[in-house]
Amino acid sequence: MRIDIITVLPDLLRSPFEASIMKRAIDKGLVEVYFHNLRDYTTNKQKSVDDYAYGGRAGMVMNIQPIDDCITALQKERKYDEIIYMTPDGETLNQKMANKMSMLENIIILCGHYKGVDQRVRDHFITREISSGAFVLS
């Protein structure tokens, strides 16, 4: 299984994959995990990934442009079974769901940040929205 994680804080997310069950799975070659810094896909000089919500909602959301560019680049390399968005209002992650997802070949996980993502990301790319229940990856 290959897991591509898209985030604005890749260094923060590495440590859980360097210990425990995930480390053993990686060491055995059962899982490959790659982190993609969303800021690497921005086109602006400041490398900012946030913008005002499309449609005028309050607060900042993750801009569609770098997410689109990152997902498109990844999809050019391979086919993905799921593109998952981690969000507090998603379906709660449970053991049954984890077991089903463990059988997938390739997945992308988009980690939420700010007040979420531009709604167009959810409409055009995301195949599943999941909440970890206890916390959402940033």
Side-chain angles (χ1 to χ4, degrees), residues 5 13 17 32 72 78 85 98 100 111-112 121 128 133 136:
I5 300 174
L13 296 183
F17 295 91
E32 295 175 86
T72 300
R78 69 193 40 79
Y85 172 49
K100 284 183 180 179
C111 298
V121 171
R128 178 175 232 161
V136 175

Side-chain angles (χ1 to χ4, degrees), residues 3 14-15 18 43-44 68 71 73 85 94 97 99 105 110 114-115 118 120 128 134-135:
I3 303 171
R14 288 186 208 286
S15 63
E18 296 170 348
T43 57
N44 60 62
D68 181 2
I71 291 174
Y85 172 49
N94 58 37
M97 184 188 308
N99 289 345
E105 189 85 19
L110 173 62
Y114 307 111
K115 281 202 166 246
D118 186 301
R120 295 171 292 177
R128 178 175 232 161
F135 66 95

Side-chain angles (χ1 to χ4, degrees), residues 34-96:
Y34 296 90
F35 296 91
H36 305 276
N37 187 340
L38 196 55
R39 295 185 194 285
D40 293 341
Y41 294 88
T42 61
T43 57
N44 60 62
K45 186 170 75 172
Q46 299 81 13
K47 299 283 186 194
S48 64
V49 297
D50 59 328
D51 200 357
Y52 294 103
Y54 181 75
R57 291 189 336 246
M60 302 297 275
V61 296
M62 292 170 65
N63 192 351
I64 190 171
Q65 176 272 312
I67 296 170
D68 181 2
D69 289 354
C70 183
I71 291 174
T72 300
L74 291 171
Q75 288 177 325
K76 285 180 181 175
E77 296 176 14
R78 69 193 40 79
K79 182 182 181 325
Y80 286 90
D81 302 306
E82 294 270 12
I83 300 176
I84 299 166
Y85 172 49
M86 298 301 294
T87 178
D89 57 348
E91 182 182 0
T92 302
L93 180 64
N94 58 37
Q95 190 62 51
K96 183 178 177 183

